[in-house]
């Protein structure tokens, strides 16, 4: 199953099952995951292109003037000419006018003064929405790489998947990105946004924190910024899930008292949640929880400590 469009393919279908880069290859992304050919091609032609160009500027600490894709024309005091504008190594701005690519005499006719107005169109600046969805796509695939289809089989993520597939539309109403540029994240990771009483799955990707909803709070996007402000002690942490990724079948992830990951099979009762990875907090190592009866739970002295009365820690 493609984790984004959820289309089904035969396991031996080498044509439609492809390797996709989570972070664009153009900026050094090495981690790969499975995507159908259709989604992989669409991402490459849309949000991956602009997301990759933006990350290239971000990681090199440049400005939009260093974007790979720019208009081949400049407008100088209302006159359109072939040329280029670049950010110089010293922090200045270099303007190049191509004499051999403009009509004879055009460059010579331009009068440069102390207040010459020069403008250039940078498409990257007009594709902010696709850049934002690029972050969302990468974060979603980072969680999929760690948890597999336990992450995909959550119907409350349907809105996220629709947004990923429609990067030019505002499918998600609200915010799914939080600026964390001051944190200086050098390597992307998945983790948890801890707001005290409630917590949410997240992914830190360089200068942005991507937030995901939970089964108990599907509408988090509409109010996440206000919740962070009111929480006061909002924190986000990486979670070392991969080292504990030793299981067969659907699994859940609990942080404190919040269900970060809770597959639909658990919700419907088709499968008992026999594999749940529990993080008591950000500092303690996770443990696997197994389901027990209510009578057994009453014999566990520390059951209240874990805020779940029908589990046994092992």
């Amino acid at each position: 199953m493609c984790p984004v469009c959820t289309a089904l393919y035969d396991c031996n279908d080498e044509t439609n099952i492809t390797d996709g880069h989570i972070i664009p290859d153009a900026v050094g992304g090495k981690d790969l995951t499975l995507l159908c050919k259709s989604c992989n091609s669409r991402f490459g032609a849309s949000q991956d292109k602009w997301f990759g160009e933006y990350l290239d500027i971000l990681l090199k600490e440049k400005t939009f003037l260093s974007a790979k894709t720019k208009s081949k024309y400049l407008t100088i005091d209302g006159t359109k000419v072939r040329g280029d504008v670049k950010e110089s190594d010293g922090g200045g701005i270099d303007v190049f006018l191509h004499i051999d690519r403009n009509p004879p005499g055009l460059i010579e006719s331009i009068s440069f003064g102390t207040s010459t107005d020069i403008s250039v169109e940078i498409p990257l600046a007009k594709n902010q929405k696709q850049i934002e969805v690029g972050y969302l796509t990468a974060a979603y695939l980072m969680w999929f790489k760690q948890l597999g289809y336990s992450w995909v089989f959550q119907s409350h993520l349907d809105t996220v998947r629709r947004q990923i597939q429609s990067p030019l539309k505002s499918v998600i109403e609200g915010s799914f990105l939080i600026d964390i540029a001051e944190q200086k994240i050098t390597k992307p990771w998945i983790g948890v946004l801890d707001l005290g009483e409630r917590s949410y799955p997240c992914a830190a990707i360089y200068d942005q924190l991507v937030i995901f909803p939970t089964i108990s709070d599907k509408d988090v996007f509409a109010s996440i910024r206000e919740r962070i402000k009111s929480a006061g002690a909002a924190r986000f942490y990486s979670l070392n899930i991969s080292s504990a990724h030793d299981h067969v079948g659907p699994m859940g992830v609990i942080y404190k008292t919040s269900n970060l990951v809770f597959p639909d099979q658990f919700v419907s009762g088709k499968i008992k949640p026999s594999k749940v990875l529990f993080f008591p907090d950000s500092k303690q190592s996770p443990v696997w929880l197994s389901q027990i009866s209510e009578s057994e739970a009453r014999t566990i002295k520390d059951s209240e400590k874990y805020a779940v009365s029908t589990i046994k820690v092992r």
Side-chain angles (χ1 to χ4, degrees):
M1 175 185 285
C2 175
V4 176
C5 70
T6 67
L8 295 172
Y9 298 93
D10 186 277
C11 289
N12 297 316
D13 188 345
E14 296 182 0
T15 300
N16 288 301
I17 300 176
T18 62
D19 287 327
H21 282 88
I22 296 177
I23 300 296
D25 182 42
V27 290
K30 302 300 182 184
D31 285 345
L32 299 172
T33 190
L34 295 178
L35 285 171
C36 73
K37 182 179 180 180
S38 176
C39 283
N40 206 359
S41 299
R42 186 169 63 252
F43 295 162
S46 57
Q47 66 255 43
D48 270 11
K49 170 180 170 54
W50 303 115
F51 181 44
E53 283 204 20
Y54 176 77
L55 289 184
D56 182 63
I57 290 173
L58 176 73
L59 298 178
K60 291 179 180 178
E61 298 184 340
K62 297 290 186 178
T63 71
F64 272 26
L65 289 176
S66 297
K68 295 179 180 179
T69 305
K70 289 196 294 285
S71 172
K72 297 179 181 179
Y73 291 88
L74 309 177
T75 301
I76 304 176
D77 287 337
T79 300
K80 189 175 182 179
V81 299
R82 287 290 295 267
D84 192 14
V85 176
K86 295 182 179 179
E87 181 182 6
S88 64
D89 293 337
I93 298 175
D94 295 328
V95 179
F96 299 89
L97 301 180
H98 306 299
I99 297 178
D100 58 338
R101 299 180 187 177
N102 283 287
L106 179 62
I107 302 299
E108 290 79 2
S109 69
I110 299 175
S111 176
F112 292 95
T114 57
S115 59
T116 301
D117 182 76
I118 302 175
S119 62
V120 61
E121 183 178 291
I122 302 176
L124 182 61
K126 295 184 177 182
N127 285 277
Q128 184 66 28
K129 187 64 180 180
Q130 296 206 65
I131 295 171
E132 292 175 357
V133 176
Y135 277 101
L136 183 67
T137 303
Y140 177 87
L141 294 178
M142 286 166 63
W143 273 93
F144 171 64
K145 185 175 180 65
Q146 293 298 320
L147 295 182
Y149 292 98
S150 295
W151 174 251
V152 177
F153 290 143
Q154 297 185 102
S155 57
H156 61 272
L157 294 182
D158 285 347
T159 303
V160 172
R161 285 185 278 267
R162 289 197 300 270
Q163 181 66 82
I164 290 173
Q165 295 177 81
S166 303
L168 296 178
K169 299 180 180 179
S170 295
V171 178
I172 292 177
E173 297 183 2
S175 303
F176 54 82
L177 293 181
I178 304 297
D179 191 309
I180 55 169
E182 70 281 357
Q183 300 294 328
K184 303 293 184 182
I185 303 296
T186 58
K187 184 178 180 180
W189 47 256
I190 63 172
V192 58
L193 172 64
D194 187 343
L195 298 184
E197 294 183 358
R198 288 191 175 186
S199 301
Y200 302 92
C202 70
I205 304 178
Y206 303 119
D207 65 333
Q208 298 293 324
L209 190 71
V210 185
I211 311 299
F212 291 103
T214 62
I215 183 64
S216 59
D217 195 354
K218 303 174 185 178
D219 300 321
V220 64
F221 300 126
S223 59
I224 186 61
R225 293 184 183 277
E226 289 72 20
R227 294 185 190 188
I228 290 176
K229 290 179 181 179
S230 61
R235 299 287 187 271
F236 57 94
Y237 309 97
S238 62
L239 295 182
N240 192 8
I241 294 177
S242 60
S243 65
H245 194 180
D246 179 19
H247 64 279
V248 177
M251 68 172 286
V253 178
I254 296 176
Y255 176 83
K256 292 184 176 178
T257 60
S258 296
N259 289 319
L260 300 187
V261 179
F262 206 71
D264 293 341
Q265 293 90 337
F266 293 174
V267 179
S268 65
K270 291 182 178 179
I271 297 178
K272 292 183 178 181
S274 58
K275 285 290 185 178
V276 177
L277 194 60
F278 174 55
F279 289 83
D281 55 39
S282 63
K283 298 179 180 179
Q284 298 185 56
S285 299
V287 293
W288 285 107
L289 308 181
S290 58
Q291 195 171 42
I292 61 175
S293 67
E294 291 185 9
S295 59
E296 288 179 296
R298 285 193 290 269
T299 66
I300 301 178
K301 296 180 180 179
D302 293 336
S303 61
E304 292 183 0
K305 173 183 177 181
Y306 298 104
V308 182
S309 61
T310 58
I311 58 172
K312 179 167 59 179
V313 179
R314 63 178 177 80

